Structures are given as structure tokens and as C-alpha cells.
Amino acid sequence: MGKTTNKDSNLVRKGLTRVKRDELKKLVDELLQKCSYSLSSPSKDWEIYSESWNLLEKIREMEKSLDRLRISRNESLPSFVEWMTKHDVKMGPVELAELPLYGCCVKAKKHINSGELLFSIPQELMLTTETATKSSIGHFINNDPILSQMPNVALAFHVLNELYDPKSFWKPYLDALPSSYDTVMYFSPDEITELKGSPAFDDALKMCRNIARQYSYFYSLLQKSVDPTLSNLRANFTYNDYRWAVSTVMTRQNLIPSQEEIVEGDGKEKQLVPLVNALIPLWDFCNHQDGQFSTDFHPESRRTVCQAGRDFGAGEQVFIFYGTRTCAEQLIHNGFVDTNNSHDALTLKIGLSKSDPLAGQRAALLCKLHILSDEKISGPIAFQLKAGPQPVDGQLLAFLRLFCMTKDSLDRWLQSDNASNLMHEECGIETEVDDKSWSFLKARCQLLLQLYPTTKEADLKMLEEDLIPHRRMCVLLRLAEKRILLSAIECAGQRIKK
């Protein structure tokens, strides 16, 4: 088969010989078996990740002849803008522009006041889980146990199916999207190791493992299928394309109301309309900045309307607020770290010991405080240490106190009608219990700090170097988490009375 051109690259693809296809199938089967392993320890997690990475490198090399040829984003933007104009996208004084370090984003053409319209986008332009189930592969999505239960994965498959269709309604939008992302699926093993010590390390390994397993599962499923509506997916599906589609959805999706009609109940109250996952063209070209929500969906006009969250000067990049995610969640799901994140927090996992003779009473008090849903002791509980001068919230404070209580103290609080006071600093608890609580937190945070292979000072020094983006993100995350831990240690030290 001859060399493809940009014009027909989504339609004509180089195939693999039967021998190469059989070799690829063996690698994919091995990858699926590897990623289906029941994980049991951090060292095993890393072993599985490393072996899976090596398999994926071989798979990507074999699938290289299937890689799509793409035109540059700059070349695709005029068609994208024309497509939006044709379909009634209303734009304020903004334009798409290529900016250093940020790539293609939204820029102010003149001064924009807070609350001024940035753009209004009709729902008909959005790729959603509803358009997915109504598409040519809708029956496949509805009948597959993974796609039918995981709307984000279904949306990624919808994106791929449209990507492989040169006549897709959404082609101008899909052509204008980035060719790659900074999600952890694009990290090398050396870059992933920069997360060691952070709770995000385990999350990153889990994410990579899940996507590799999904790719293996769907590859095998598509190759076995004889359904003609899946022919494009069957011929073109690769790991590179799948991680791209998944990353597109992870970094850009939002929730909008379903197109289903609002039904009135017996009491004439309106039932809640379910939300569906959606990709919103143009809106998703805006980068994130800490602030407040300035986007809303207008059900009457079926449009997403975005207003300026603050004033923007002429020529300045226009940012929007994505939502309240921690820096670790931003890195894993969005591929960036916001160093000015006022909503940042560090996950702290602590639990009750089954060998503790008072574990049952402690669990009962946790249930009374609605921190546990039942009294069964089933592992550590995830709490959040907050960024800022008050790192400990009420639930964590209550847990620390009851964790350190004697039997008499536990009995007293279990019988009390004011057990919720344990969530407040001033609650009349014994000084000895309070001191033990804060001392426990201080020691735990000091231990967590020691898990990082670098110090805060070393991280600051690294930022002075010319780091590649993925490493810089990891260093920024480590610093953000260490600041939270140091703040918690300082907070605990100030509250220990003896």
C-alpha cells in the first residue's frame, strides 16, 4: 500500500502482515495477563508497571506503521473556527492563539471585564456519552460491560470512532486538538520515579496499569469482532491512539445536563436531569487558573455559556477555573500542577488496628460521627491535610482524638449527645488525649516527609535548572505536598500543651 497523505490519512492506513499481526496478538495477550495481576505490594506494583512499559514499547514499535499523520494545530485552526462560526458559536472579544509554553489557547483581543461573555456554544457541537450511544457504535457501547458502565471510557471510544471517520461532523474539532498530552500515560519510567514518596506515585501506576489493561482488552475484542460497524476501529485501533483518546477525555471533559426532557413528578416538582460527560469545543481550549466558576449550561437554549472570571487585559491569555482538585489530582488527570492552588490537599491514610482491644468502640464512635458507614474495620481511612495555616479539618481531628482515647473516655463520648464536638478544637477533651493526638499527627507527618527521596531545599534548587516538563511537574507536586506536611507539623507542635 502506498504512502498516505495528510488529506486521506484518517481513511487509508498501512496494515500489518499476518506474521506481524500474530506477534502483536501475543504481546497484547501477555500485556492483558500482566495488567490483570492482583496487586499486593508497592514493589510488586512497580514490577508490573516496568514489565508492562517494556511490553507497550514493543507494541508501539509494531504499531508504528498505523500511526496517524496529522497536520499541525495552526493549520487546522482556520477550519475549526469556520466550523464553529457555521454552527452558531458566539465568541466575545477572544481569539485562538499559539503561546509559548501553553500551546494553542484563548487570548483576549481587547480588555475584557469580569462577567463579560467569552463564548456561548450550542450543545449540538458537543461530543457526549449520549451522542456516543446514538452513533454507529452505540450498540457496541451499550452491550460491552466496560463501556456501558464507564461513561468516560465510552466517550473516549466515541472520540476514536469519529477520529477514524474522515466524514465525521466533529473532524474540524478533533483535528484542532493536541497531538499528545502530559498525562502520566506519557511519562517514562524514569519520570514516574520522580513521584516516589508522594501518594500520587501509586495513583500514577494504577492509572497506567488500567489504561494498558483497557487497551489490551479492547484490542482483542475488536480483532475478534466481525461487526462491519466496527471496521474502522478494528483496522486503526492502536495503543498510541487509545491513550490519546483517553487523555483527551480526562483533560477536557465536563458534565452537562442530558438532552432528555425534564419530567414533572406527582407533586409537580421537576425531577433532576441526569448529567452526562461531554467534550465542549472551544471551551476546552482555555487553560486553568485558580479562581471561581464562570461557566454555566443554559437548558432553555441548550448552550454552554462561559463568562470571564476576572478582568483580562488586551493580549492576555484568558483562563477559566476547572474546579476544586488537589495538585496530585491535577497532575494525574489534567497533566499540570497549579502552584497557586488554594484547594490543594494531601491524602493521609490512617486506620484502626484489628488487634486493638478498643477497636470496636473506636469504630462505633467513628460511625456515630459519620466518618465510617459501618463498624466493620476494613482498612485505612483517607483523610485530607489541607493547604494553608489550618491543615486539619474536623473529621481528621476527631479521628486523631478517638484514636488516642482511653476506654473511659471512649465510653463517655459514645454516650454523649454532643459527640460531634470532637470535630472542633474546643470540646472539653482531656489535655492528655489532645496532646497525644497532636503528637501522633506530628510524628506521622515527619515519617511521611522522610519517604520522599529529596528535601524541600533540594527540590527548590532543582527548579532553578532547565527541567523537562514532566520532571518539573513532579518537583512542583513534591514541593506542594511537603509544604502541607511541614504546615501540619508546625500546627501540631503549636497545639501540644505539655
Side-chain angles (χ1 to χ4, degrees), residues 14 39 105 108 116 199 216 268 278 285 336 498:
K14 295 181 181 178
L39 305 183
C105 53
E116 190 172 344
S216 307
K268 295 187 177 180
F285 278 63
F336 67 82
K498 289 184 180 179

Side-chain angles (χ1 to χ4, degrees), residues 178-439:
S179 59
S180 65
Y181 292 91
D182 288 318
T183 56
V184 292
M185 286 91 76
Y186 287 85
F187 280 40
S188 69
D190 283 346
E191 291 166 347
I192 289 280
T193 58
E194 296 285 354
L195 293 172
K196 283 189 174 179
S198 166
F201 179 67
D202 291 338
D203 293 338
L205 296 186
K206 182 179 179 182
M207 175 68 72
C208 292
R209 172 175 170 262
N210 287 344
I211 301 309
R213 184 175 66 244
Q214 289 171 16
Y215 157 77
S216 307
Y217 166 80
F218 287 123
Y219 177 89
S220 298
L221 194 65
L222 289 170
Q223 293 307 311
K224 293 174 184 175
S225 173
V226 293
D227 187 340
T229 62
L230 301 177
S231 58
N232 264 345
L233 282 166
R234 185 164 51 250
N236 299 297
F237 187 75
T238 65
Y239 173 73
N240 276 348
D241 281 355
Y242 187 64
R243 74 171 173 178
W244 176 86
V246 168
S247 296
T248 294
V249 171
M250 277 176 52
T251 60
R252 311 175 90 83
Q253 70 177 334
N254 204 334
L255 294 174
I256 64 169
S258 165
Q259 289 191 22
E260 296 177 6
E261 293 293 328
I262 299 176
V263 181
E264 290 191 356
D266 295 336
K268 295 187 177 180
E269 72 278 6
K270 290 185 177 180
Q271 302 294 316
L272 289 176
V273 178
L275 298 177
V276 296
N277 299 58
L279 296 179
I280 307 174
L282 183 60
W283 178 89
D284 61 3
F285 278 63
C286 286
N287 287 311
H288 165 83
Q289 190 173 71
D290 201 31
Q292 59 185 3
F293 284 111
S294 59
T295 303
D296 200 6
F297 186 86
H298 293 184
E300 302 83 9
S301 60
R302 310 302 300 180
R303 301 174 76 94
T304 289
V305 177
C306 183
Q307 298 170 311
R310 62 171 176 84
D311 290 357
F312 293 98
E316 185 180 356
Q317 182 179 175
V318 173
F319 294 92
I320 60 174
F321 177 58
Y322 286 2
T324 56
R325 278 185 163 173
T326 67
C327 286
E329 290 170 333
Q330 288 175 346
L331 186 145
I332 298 294
H333 299 284
N334 297 101
F336 67 82
V337 173
D338 178 11
T339 55
N340 297 311
N341 185 4
S342 62
H343 305 280
D344 195 18
L346 175 72
T347 300
L348 179 67
K349 292 183 179 180
I350 46 180
L352 303 176
S353 171
K354 292 182 179 180
S355 61
D356 178 3
L358 298 177
Q361 289 168 276
R362 299 192 205 280
L365 186 49
L366 285 171
C367 289
K368 186 173 183 177
L369 296 171
H370 304 292
I371 296 173
L372 281 182
S373 56
D374 60 57
E375 296 181 21
K376 184 178 179 181
I377 304 168
S378 57
I381 307 168
F383 295 97
Q384 297 286 304
L385 281 174
K386 309 289 185 180
Q390 300 294 330
V392 180
D393 66 12
Q395 286 201 340
L396 175 55
L397 179 59
F399 178 90
L400 294 170
R401 285 169 165 168
L402 67 87
F403 185 81
C404 297
M405 284 181 187
T406 62
K407 185 179 186 305
D408 289 344
S409 189
L410 276 170
D411 288 341
R412 185 163 59 255
W413 283 101
L414 276 169
Q415 295 167 15
S416 172
D417 294 330
N418 300 310
S420 60
N421 287 349
L422 286 169
M423 297 186 182
H424 305 287
E425 283 214 34
E426 301 299 329
C427 69
I429 197 169
E430 303 95 321
T431 300
E432 183 181 1
V433 172
D434 229 20
D435 281 355
K436 283 183 177 179
S437 303
W438 290 110
S439 295

Side-chain angles (χ1 to χ4, degrees), residues 60-132:
R60 291 177 62 224
E61 181 62 31
M62 292 196 68
E63 292 180 334
K64 190 175 289 186
S65 64
L66 302 177
D67 285 347
R68 291 176 295 117
L69 297 176
R70 294 179 58 100
I71 60 175
S72 70
R73 294 188 79 188
N74 272 340
E75 291 179 280
S76 66
L77 289 183
S79 296
F80 177 46
V81 173
E82 180 183 354
W83 177 74
M84 290 190 294
T85 302
K86 178 181 177 181
H87 293 284
D88 197 29
V89 171
K90 302 186 189 307
M91 294 180 67
V94 296
E95 61 183 349
L96 294 174
E98 194 82 18
L99 295 180
L101 302 179
Y102 286 97
C104 187
C105 53
V106 179
K107 187 174 75 171
K109 294 165 68 174
K110 68 177 187 65
H111 181 84
I112 298 176
N113 293 316
S114 177
E116 190 172 344
L117 177 71
L118 296 178
F119 29 73
S120 168
I121 304 153
Q123 188 170 2
E124 66 180 87
L125 265 64
M126 303 175 198
L127 281 150
T128 71
T129 46
E130 285 184 319
T131 61

